[in-house]
Amino acid sequence: MRRIDVIGIGIGIFVAGGLLYWVFQLSGFDSSKAGIWSQAILVGGLVLWLLTYLWRAVTQTMTYNQQIKDYEEAVIEKRIAEMTPEQLQQLQAEVDQEKQQKPVHRESGSVDEQSKS
């Protein structure tokens, strides 16, 4: 986000607060009540935005994380596309071998847990 975008958003929020205050005054609120309610709505909006930001940070769905994930996938796809059929077969054999070497987990627990009992 550019600096001018941040300035524009800040001015927009400032104007929105003034418009809310004006709407509340036109609705019959006195100036102190109109100010309290317009501030309450602006703070509520800020808290909701903060919660969405925290949610995206915790679930790692922020723009930066998504760009890294997309880049890694594109690099892997490019490398696979550049491989010869022999290299692809060798890679597939290595993957199959690794799958066979992993310990088998059963529904009642892992192999290690069953051997202890």
Side-chain angles (χ1 to χ4, degrees):
M1 184 176 288
R2 300 173 304 167
R3 188 176 304 170
I4 190 71
D5 297 334
V6 173
I7 292 171
I9 290 170
I11 291 172
I13 291 172
F14 181 76
V15 169
L19 288 174
L20 277 172
Y21 176 78
W22 182 69
V23 166
F24 280 124
Q25 277 196 322
L26 287 178
S27 300
F29 287 81
D30 63 354
S31 64
S32 64
K33 293 284 185 187
I36 290 170
W37 280 105
S38 61
Q39 286 179 359
I41 290 173
L42 288 176
V43 169
L46 176 66
V47 169
L48 287 174
W49 173 81
L50 179 64
L51 289 174
T52 64
Y53 181 84
L54 290 174
W55 176 256
R56 289 182 290 133
V58 168
T59 59
Q60 294 187 347
T61 55
M62 299 181 75
T63 303
Y64 176 73
N65 297 72
Q66 191 63 42
Q67 287 174 342
I68 294 233
K69 182 180 174 187
D70 292 344
Y71 173 77
E72 289 172 348
E73 289 176 4
V75 167
I76 290 172
E77 287 177 11
K78 183 179 179 192
R79 287 185 182 171
I80 289 175
E82 292 174 347
M83 293 177 97
T84 64
E86 294 83 20
Q87 290 172 327
L88 286 171
Q89 286 177 341
Q90 181 183 1
L91 180 63
Q92 183 64 42
E94 290 174 8
V95 169
D96 290 341
Q97 184 180 6
E98 285 182 16
K99 283 183 181 178
Q100 290 175 357
Q101 290 177 355
K102 288 187 178 182
V104 177
H105 296 289
R106 297 183 185 171
E107 289 181 24
S108 61
S110 68
V111 173
D112 294 332
E113 291 176 3
Q114 290 179 355
S115 62
K116 291 179 184 177
S117 54

